[in-house]
């Protein structure tokens, strides 16, 4: 299948490469959280989540890949958590990764 955006064509391989990179970005979220947890300051974690939400929302809008809509919903819910727990963040991040890998 071919995707078009701004007169640029993307193949399924291009999209798969992006998804693989997105998995790495999601895993990095856990690392960012762990650093913030050590400092008891989650500002950087929230900034990182907002950046991913913005990026993945854009990808959904461009390519209509519905799995990104699910991931955006989960990440948005994670921002709303006032007192995030490591086990919950880890579980949600790995769930998002599994959603992308199943695509």
């Amino acid at each position: 299948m071919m995707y078009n955006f701004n007169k640029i064509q993307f193949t399924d391989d291009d999209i798969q490469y992006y998804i693989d990179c997105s998995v790495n970005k999601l895993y990095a979220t856990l690392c960012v959280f762990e650093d913030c947890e050590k400092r008891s300051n989650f500002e950087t974690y929230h900034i990182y989540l907002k950046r991913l939400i913005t990026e993945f929302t854009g990808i959904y809008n461009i390519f209509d890949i519905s799995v990104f809509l699910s991931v955006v919903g989960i990440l948005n819910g994670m921002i709303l958590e006032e007192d995030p727990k490591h086990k919950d963040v880890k579980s949600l991040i790995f769930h998002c990764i599994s959603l992308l890998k199943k695509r």
Side-chain angles (χ1 to χ4, degrees), residues 73-89:
I74 292 166
L75 296 176
N76 200 36
M78 290 170 69
I79 285 179
L80 300 175
E81 182 60 46
E82 291 183 26
D83 185 24
K85 304 289 186 238
H86 185 272
K87 68 180 179 85
D88 296 330
V89 171

Side-chain angles (χ1 to χ4, degrees), residues 9-39:
Q9 289 189 333
F10 297 91
T11 66
D12 278 334
D13 288 342
D14 296 327
I15 300 300
Q16 187 58 51
Y17 177 78
Y18 178 77
I19 288 173
D20 293 342
C21 291
S22 297
V23 166
N24 294 336
K25 292 174 187 178
L26 285 166
Y27 185 77
T29 304
L30 185 55
C31 299
V32 170
F33 174 81
E34 289 169 348
D35 283 345
C36 290
E37 188 177 40
K38 290 175 189 172
R39 293 181 276 127

Side-chain angles (χ1 to χ4, degrees), residues 38-89:
K38 290 175 189 172
R39 293 181 276 127
S40 296
N41 181 338
F42 295 96
E43 183 178 0
T44 305
Y45 167 71
H46 287 124
I47 290 168
Y48 191 81
L49 284 175
K50 287 176 186 176
R51 187 171 67 198
L52 286 180
I53 288 168
T54 301
E55 179 179 345
F56 293 163
T57 300
I59 291 298
Y60 171 74
N61 289 335
I62 293 168
F63 297 114
D64 194 27
I65 301 172
S66 60
V67 71
F68 280 102
L69 189 59
S70 296
V71 172
V72 166
I74 292 166
L75 296 176
N76 200 36
M78 290 170 69
I79 285 179
L80 300 175
E81 182 60 46
E82 291 183 26
D83 185 24
K85 304 289 186 238
H86 185 272
K87 68 180 179 85
D88 296 330
V89 171

